[in-house]
Every structure is written in structure tokens, then in C-alpha cells.
Amino acid sequence: MSEAQNHPDDELEFIDDEPEAESGGDATNRKVWRVLIVDDDPDVHHTTLLAMRNQTILHRQIQFLHTYSALQTRELLLHERDIAVILLDVVMENEDAGLRLVKTIREDLSMPETRIILRTGQPGYAPEIDAIRDYDINDYKTKSELTRNKLYTTLTAAIRSYEQIRTINAGRRGLDMIVRASADLMQRHGVRNFAAGVITQIAGLLGLAPEGLVCAHDTSGGINLGSNDVTVIAAAGRYADLINRPVDSISDAQVRQALERCLQSQRNLYDGPGTTLFFHNRHGDVAAYLDTRESLDDIDRRLLEVFCVNIAVGFDNAALFSRLNSFAYFDQLSRLPNRAHFIQHIDRLLAAPDHGKQILALVDLDHFAETNDALGHRFGDRLLQEVASRLKQSVSPRVIVARISGDTFGLLGASDDLSPTQLMGLFNTPFTVDGQELMVSITCGVLNLADAGNSGAEALKDANIALKRAKQGNRGEVNYFTREMSIEIQERVKLLQALRHAFDNERLFMVYQPQVNLVTRKAIGLEALIRWRDDDGKMVPPDRFIPLAEHSGLIVNIGEWITRVACHQQARLARAGYGHLRMAINVSVSQFRHPRFPFMLKRAIEDSGCDPACIELEITESMAMVEADFLLHTLDKLKESGITVAVDDFGTGFSSLSYLQRLNVDRLKIDRAFVKEITDSGRGSRIPEMVIQLSHKLGLEVIAEGVEDLAQADALEKLGCHEAQGYYFGRPMEPGPLMDWLSNQAV
Ligand code: C2E
Ligand code: CA
Ligand code: CA
């Protein structure tokens, strides 16, 4: 080290055994710079120490470490990584031991940040320029250059460079972690889940255990602006118990105040007992608190700022997701799970091994549509809310209550918790809506999950079948689903398909049943009745398939076909000399409702060239279900063309007299059920008698159907009924036999 001692501007002193007071200090202590001297010459160690004695660089002291060979250095570096600069002798054990050590430090020990200054005794002995570049060597100095000043400036430059590299790398690593943390967080759906992820990720970023909590304005759905209460929505570590609790209830005053201050100032706070981060959010601000023991350094703070900005967007998304989820799975009016969610619950139960003891009940409010019409939709909505909350509050919390559709609620639970009779009982007391008391009765369809298929949707469908059954039969009661019900439904579906097929393939045909004058017993008209002979040649009764056609809407097309065929038949009969015969055509409600119906009828009449005065439409009393104004208007319009209208099956429906009067019909057709009772006794004639008298008073014609014997015919005639139809006079016949029947009669 002689060169160094002789340097003119040097005041190097030699000191013996400079105590290595600072070595062995806290390795992670960043308040010093750690510099490693590697040299096989102990003098170099000494001179360096002396030169740098009491010096500070960039406001920190220097702590020296010493090794004397490449081997020893490698061993030291295996566990001492936090080293800013290595002053490295090139020639030690052999000529390039130092250079090889550089390679080891960079490649094998992966220490890219530590700065390396090569020193050599011989000025001529410079390493390859390649080595300097490839191994990121900071500086190359001959030992003679290591005067106090030179050493100081060289070390300062290296340390500054080390600090910059470290900052950049830490930032890059942090950013990388943020990117990964964000990606992880974006996978999380729902605000709470997201918030829990935020704690873990921040802790991960800072290399700490996750001890912290996240709070936001009440988050029942998304983040809700409506409430002023700030609630803990996620918590980890020693704060875990605080989840779902209001922030006020946090007993640690410092934590509580930090969170409150953070939300108020809308800034990150690093001065409390930990770190408090603020996330600005469209759906309500969020604050997160983390235990960080000592206050964070600059790099960490800047990283967290980036993280917060990045993550605030994530909170927005999570809140949005929560809200979408709430829209998708919750009924917004009642706040109950909706149909889709209910089906998920059933699916879950069905997947469980012991679902046999569970029941699914559908509760349907009777006559809700009427209530809605009469008292308004707002009232209807309130009523539904009242029903929802009574159901929810009265049943066991283990029972799932959902709103399935308009006025149908679904309940799902163990049979011990959920009794249909008890459900019915809930409706024994009136509901109060807008200060108005209202009794509501319900009908209940029940399915034992033991009888359910394997999907929630199917189970719900089956419970619905039971409910519909109950509605048709006995409103206000409970009806249990049975397997037969679903079999029946399946058969109906099959039958409908077959009907479509039959209609398309012209397997339907019309028959005509005579109507006679009871006095002359001569034919005055015919009723057109449809027939279906299936592929096996069996007749399918219209009572079975007409209701199906009505339900499916197929009746509109079939009805048009019937009308056209019947009108043509009337025209054909007229050409055969039976022009006086009336042709009665049955019309269903759904056909009648169709806006094109009057137009269709007019065209059928015109196309066939039949006499409109001979066309009679048979409508049923269920027409009363059609809105009165529409019905009156349509009937008037139809009658303008000269056709007549009869009320079929009279006496079985609900028509009121005044309604009948307004309806402008021509004829009442006494239902065959009453005709059947006529001969039994005087009592059996009471209804036909009343109907006949009524029709006379209203100026209507009357016809009796289902007359099967002479006694009935005579009795009806005596009661003043002028017309009749029935097997006694003639069966429904196809056009050929009908012509024979008519010509026989004429004889
Ligand atoms: P509906 O309109 O009351 O038709 C009268 C039913 O009574 C016919 O049954 C007829 O065959 C039957 N009938 C006639 N005389 C007697 C009798 O003396 N005794 C007994 N027990 N029954 C008698 P059908 O043809 O089976 O029709 C049943 C129902 O199907 C009809 O009742 C009607 O509601 C519907 N329907 C039949 N054809 C048509 C149609 O072309 N269009 C529409 N929309 N419905 C039809
Ligand atoms: Ca009829
Ligand atoms: Ca009838």
C-alpha cells in the first residue's frame, strides 16, 4: 500500500487494529452504508479505514466489513446481502481471483445492486473492458489513487449510485407486485371479498403479516351512499372480530380516529400507529387500516399511493358487481331473493344428501290482480312488501323466503321449520297498507323435495303445478304435488304436439249436429263440431284438445279453419236446397280476443258466399272475462254483418242479467246438465224453466242442448222452449250422412 501513503495530498495515518466497532451491527439497519473491503493485504484494510474515519456519506455513517480472500468473501456474502459497495482487490489467491469473484457476486449470488470498485496494485494491470461492462463494475482504481479525497468521492459516487439503483429496483418490484396484486384483486367479486383481498395484498406489498381492516359506508349491496354509518367490511388478524361492526365500536381509539380522519381528509395517513389508506370510490369512500409498526419509508409510501389509485377503480368494479349481483339475484321490491336465486338454493339443497325432509312451498295471493286493478299498482306493491316482510319475520330464519313472480312467494326449508298450515295461518290477520286494512287469502302449492327431480328449476315447476291445481280447484287451500300431476302435464305437452301435427296434416274434420224446432220437430239449424281422429284411428274428444289449443294459442289458426269450413258447408247446404239452416260455430274466448277475429269472420263469409244471417256464433259465459267495453264493441261490430250470437252452456257461468241485456245476444243455450235433470222430478225443471222465462222477458230465443229422449223434448216444449239439439234428434254427422239425414227428414 506504499503508493497510497506517498500521495502528496494524502494525510493517511496508520492505526493498528482499528476496532471493527461497527461490524456485526444490525444487518437490516439502513441508517449506515455497509462497505465491504476485500483484499489479501491487511494494510489496505487499515489505510481504507483510516482514510474514511469519521466520515459520513449522504448523511449516513459507513460500516466496514472485511474479507481477505475470494473464498472468504463468497462465504460472507451468502448471508450478508445488504452491502452498498465492495472495494475489491483484483489480484488475490491468483491473478484474476477478484474478477472471478465479481462474476460470482453478480451471477451466482445474484447481487445486482451492490456497487463494485476494483482496486489493483499494478497500474498496468487493468481488466478487460468487457469485464467492466459485463459485470457492472463501477470503477477501476489503482491503489495509489486511493487517497482520502479520492476514496471519499469514489465511495460517494458508488453509494449514490447504489441508492438510486435500489430505489428504482424497489419501485419496480413494488410496481410489479401492485400489478400482480391488482390482477388478483380484480378476480374478486363483491365488495367484501375485494376488501379482504386488499388487506392481504397491502400486507404482502409491505412484507408484513395481514393485520388490518377495511371500512366503508354500509355495504349491504354495493357500497351504499344512503347510510352514514361506516362499517367494517373486511378485517384480518387481531381485528378479525370487528367484521360487520360499526367503526364506532372499534375499541382502539387510535385506530378508530385514524380511520375517521382518513375518510374525512380523503388522504392516506402514515402518522398513526399504523398506515391508513384512502380509496376514493364512486359508490362511497373506503378506508383501510394496517398495522405497520414503524413508519414507512419513502419508497413504500409512494408505492402505496400508486396502489390506492389503482385499487380505487377495483372497488368501483367490485361495488358495481355487487349491485349487478343484487339485481340479478334479488327482487328489488321485496329485497327477497328472486326466482333465479331461489332455484340456486333448491339446487344446493337437492345436491345435499338429506334433502328428503325439505319442503318447497309456493304461496300465491288470491285475487291479487283484482286488488291491483282496484286499488292501484302502488298499493299492490306496498301490499307485496307487507306480505314479504310478514313471511320473512314469521318463519324460522333457516327458511329461505323468495319472491318468485308477481304475487307468488317461495319458501324452502326443513319440514320441521315450515308447515303449510302454519303459513296459511299467517294470513288470518289483515294487512295494513296506507292505513287501510285488508284481508288477503292465499293458495299454497307444496312439494316434498323427496319427490323432486334433480334440478331446482324442475322442482319449482312441479310446485307450481300443485299451486295451479289448487288455484283451479280450491283457492285458499294447500295442495301437495304428486307425481301423477307432472305425468299429466307431460301428456298434455305430448298431446299438444300431436294436435299441431294433426292440424298441419289435415287430420281434423268437422261434423254437424242438427238443431230442431220442438213444435215441428224439423231441422232449423246445425252446430259445427270439430273432430280429431289420431294416427291410430282413435277419436280424441274436443273437450280434451280444445282447452289445449286455447292455452297454446293454436286455437286462433284452428278456429279460422273451422269458421271457413263451416261457412263453406252452409253455402253448400244452401245450394242443396237447405238455405234456411242456421250454422252455429263455437268460438273460444282467446279466438274472440284476437284483434283480427271480426275481419277473419267477414272474409270467411265472403269467400264462401254463405248467408251471414245463417251464421251463429256460440260464445260461452266465460266471455264475461273479456273486458266489458271490448266485448260490447266487438259483438256490435260482428252483428253489423247480420250474424247472430248465442250464449252456450248457459247457467253454468256467472253472467248477470244486466250484463246479458247489455250484451246484445240473440239466443241462450241451456246447458245439457240442466236438461239431464228435467225428467227426474218437478225440481229438476226449475233452472230450465227460469232460463226459459228469463229469455222470454229479455226478448231472447232459447235452445236446449243434450236432449236424449222424448220425455226431455216434451218437457222442454211444455216449458216454452222452442228449439232443441241432442242425440234424440240427431248425432253430430259428417257432410255425407248429414245430407242423408236431411233428405230423410224432408220425406
Ligand atoms: P259444446 O259447444 O257444448 O258442444 C256440445 C257437445 O255436446 C258436443 O260435444 C256434442 O257432441 C255433445 N252432445 C250433443 N248432443 C248430445 C246429447 O244428446 N247428449 C250428450 N251427452 N252430449 C251431446 P263435443 O262435440 O264432444 O264437443 C265438446 C265441446 O268441445 C263443445 O261443447 C265445445 O265446447 C268444444 N268444441 C267442439 N267443437 C268445437 C269447435 O269447433 N270449436 C270450438 N271452439 N270448440 C268446440
Ligand atoms: Ca256449442
Ligand atoms: Ca254447449
Side-chain angles (χ1 to χ4, degrees), residues 509-511 513-514 527-531 540-547 550 555 558-559 561-563 584-589 591 618 620 648-649 669 671-672 675-676 705-709 712 725-732:
F509 61 99
M510 299 304 295
V511 292
Q513 183 176 33
E527 178 178 4
L529 295 161
I530 194 168
R531 291 293 175 263
V540 186
D543 284 335
R544 271 194 78 199
F545 69 83
I546 290 291
E550 283 170 351
I555 194 68
I558 295 183
W561 174 81
I562 292 169
T563 310
I585 304 170
N586 292 287
V587 177
S588 311
V589 177
Q591 228 181 318
E618 291 194 4
T620 60
D648 205 356
D649 305 339
K669 202 168 181 185
D671 191 70
R672 59 179 180 274
V675 173
K676 213 171 165 183
E705 69 177 349
V707 178
E708 295 187 350
D709 56 37
Q712 290 169 341
Q725 173 186 349
Y727 294 164
Y728 174 66
F729 305 107
R731 297 235 161 204

Side-chain angles (χ1 to χ4, degrees), residues 444-493:
C444 200
V446 180
L447 169 78
N448 284 309
L449 283 202
D451 295 333
N454 41 21
S455 86
E458 245 175 84
L460 192 57
K461 212 173 67 193
D462 288 347
N464 214 18
I465 290 172
L467 176 67
K468 279 224 174 108
R469 264 312 166 75
K471 284 239 142 181
Q472 280 162 9
N474 23 7
R475 274 187 190 220
E477 287 187 14
V478 181
N479 195 18
Y480 280 83
F481 171 82
T482 59
R483 265 287 127 229
E484 295 77 60
M485 288 183 187
S486 96
I487 291 168
E488 192 190 304
I489 300 263
Q490 284 164 17
E491 276 172 2
R492 285 175 53 156
V493 171

Side-chain angles (χ1 to χ4, degrees), residues 545-559:
F545 69 83
I546 290 291
L548 269 189
E550 283 170 351
H551 256 92
S552 63
L554 191 57
I555 194 68
V556 173
N557 288 337
I558 295 183

Side-chain angles (χ1 to χ4, degrees), residues 338-411:
N338 65 9
R339 184 193 164 82
H341 202 11
F342 193 59
I343 289 177
Q344 288 183 335
H345 280 300
I346 311 171
D347 278 333
R348 203 171 32 92
L349 269 188
L350 286 176
D354 189 27
H355 65 254
K357 297 190 182 80
Q358 308 279 335
I359 64 169
L360 159 55
L362 290 183
V363 166
D364 191 280
L365 311 191
D366 295 335
H367 308 291
F368 180 73
E370 284 95 319
T371 310
N372 228 0
D373 287 346
L375 299 170
H377 287 251
R378 235 179 53 85
F379 186 93
D381 284 354
R382 290 271 179 79
L383 177 60
L384 288 171
Q385 284 168 331
E386 289 297 317
V387 171
S389 71
R390 185 178 293 182
L391 282 172
K392 186 83 197 151
Q393 277 161 21
S394 315
V395 299
S396 148
R398 288 183 295 273
V399 171
I400 290 158
V401 183
R403 183 169 172 224
I404 305 303
S405 64
D407 58 345
T408 309
F409 294 88
L411 293 99

Side-chain angles (χ1 to χ4, degrees), residues 416-720:
D416 293 343
D417 289 334
L418 185 58
S419 131
T421 347
Q422 210 180 318
L423 276 182
M424 303 295 283
L426 296 180
F427 292 81
N428 288 340
T429 43
F431 289 86
T432 310
V433 177
D434 293 346
Q436 213 172 320
E437 285 211 335
L438 188 83
M439 280 305 288
V440 174
S441 78
I442 59 164
T443 305
C444 200
V446 180
L447 169 78
N448 284 309
L449 283 202
D451 295 333
N454 41 21
S455 86
E458 245 175 84
L460 192 57
K461 212 173 67 193
D462 288 347
N464 214 18
I465 290 172
L467 176 67
K468 279 224 174 108
R469 264 312 166 75
K471 284 239 142 181
Q472 280 162 9
N474 23 7
R475 274 187 190 220
E477 287 187 14
V478 181
N479 195 18
Y480 280 83
F481 171 82
T482 59
R483 265 287 127 229
E484 295 77 60
M485 288 183 187
S486 96
I487 291 168
E488 192 190 304
I489 300 263
Q490 284 164 17
E491 276 172 2
R492 285 175 53 156
V493 171
K494 268 194 223 145
L495 191 67
L496 180 59
Q497 281 168 347
L499 175 61
R500 284 216 164 90
H501 182 78
F503 179 54
D504 292 341
N505 291 281
E506 301 177 4
R507 299 301 303 260
L508 304 179
F509 61 99
M510 299 304 295
V511 292
Y512 305 90
Q513 183 176 33
Q515 298 178 335
V516 301
N517 180 310
L518 269 179
V519 181
T520 64
R521 310 277 157 128
K522 294 269 185 246
I524 45 148
L526 301 157
E527 178 178 4
L529 295 161
I530 194 168
R531 291 293 175 263
W532 170 15
R533 187 178 287 122
D534 71 11
D535 291 344
D536 304 331
K538 268 206 325 264
M539 300 302 292
V540 186
D543 284 335
R544 271 194 78 199
F545 69 83
I546 290 291
L548 269 189
E550 283 170 351
H551 256 92
S552 63
L554 191 57
I555 194 68
V556 173
N557 288 337
I558 295 183
E560 177 167 0
W561 174 81
I562 292 169
T563 310
R564 298 184 70 83
V565 174
C567 287
H568 271 102
Q569 185 60 30
Q570 203 283 330
R572 205 172 299 137
L573 286 169
R575 288 197 294 275
Y578 301 106
H580 63 288
L581 292 183
R582 195 165 70 212
M583 178 64 73
I585 304 170
N586 292 287
V587 177
S588 311
V589 177
S590 44
Q591 228 181 318
F592 193 85
R593 264 217 186 100
H594 197 274
R596 274 188 71 245
F597 179 72
F599 173 73
M600 182 280 290
L601 180 67
K602 190 166 162 266
R603 229 182 44 185
I605 292 171
E606 284 168 5
D607 289 354
S608 65
C610 72
D611 177 5
C614 285
I615 298 297
E616 179 155 285
L617 299 184
E618 291 194 4
I619 62 173
T620 60
E621 280 178 286
S622 54
M623 283 290 175
M625 280 164 32
V626 177
E627 307 69 56
D629 288 348
F630 176 78
L631 182 60
L632 288 176
H633 175 76
T634 311
L635 274 180
D636 286 346
K637 194 152 129 203
L638 288 170
K639 294 200 67 179
E640 276 170 20
S641 59
I643 63 150
T644 54
V645 176
V647 179
D648 205 356
D649 305 339
F650 190 73
T652 57
F654 311 99
S655 337
S656 69
L657 282 181
S658 60
Y659 193 62
L660 263 184
Q661 257 174 320
R662 284 171 63 204
L663 268 189
N664 193 16
V665 297
D666 304 274
R667 187 172 281 101
L668 301 184
K669 202 168 181 185
I670 302 173
D671 191 70
R672 59 179 180 274
F674 303 121
V675 173
K676 213 171 165 183
E677 290 175 12
I678 272 185
T679 43
D680 287 348
S681 64
R683 245 177 89 228
S685 324
R686 286 281 298 284
I687 292 175
E689 189 180 351
M690 269 165 49
V691 173
I692 292 161
Q693 283 173 7
L694 170 72
S695 58
H696 290 333
K697 283 209 183 88
L698 295 173
L700 301 176
E701 304 282 338
V702 63
I703 182 169
E705 69 177 349
V707 178
E708 295 187 350
D709 56 37
L710 181 62
Q712 290 169 341
D714 289 346
L716 283 162
E717 189 191 352
K718 240 182 270 153
L719 289 173

